[in-house]
Amino acid sequence: MDAKFYRFLYGGFVLFGLYYAIFSQNYSDAGMMLGIALAFDPFNQLQPFNERPTWQKAWLMVHLVLVFTFFGIAFLG
């Protein structure tokens, strides 16, 4: 698929995840949407993770931490 389409899907799932977290306080759905968003890597998918710039690695790691945080809030809270 086209890289622009992947970015569109990534952004859409991130927005849905933030909507579920902020407005509806449904943290399990927020974690699910953000987790699905990670499947649509917004950066160059042909570049291995170890060769990416540090800011891209940090962005994806923070995104992953948000996914686990929302799941933790949903299941423990």
Side-chain angles (χ1 to χ4, degrees), residues 23-34:
F23 295 112
S24 66
Q25 310 261 318
N26 190 342
Y27 297 109
S28 62
D29 284 346
M32 179 183 60
M33 290 296 168
L34 289 176

Side-chain angles (χ1 to χ4, degrees), residues 2-4 6-7 10 37-49 52-61 63:
D2 188 35
K4 290 182 182 182
Y6 279 134
R7 287 187 183 139
Y10 177 81
L38 282 173
F40 303 104
D41 188 359
F43 306 115
N44 183 6
Q45 296 178 355
L46 299 177
Q47 187 178 23
F49 187 77
R52 293 181 182 207
T54 305
W55 70 272
Q56 287 182 3
K57 291 181 204 177
W59 178 274
L60 293 173
M61 289 300 195
H63 188 132

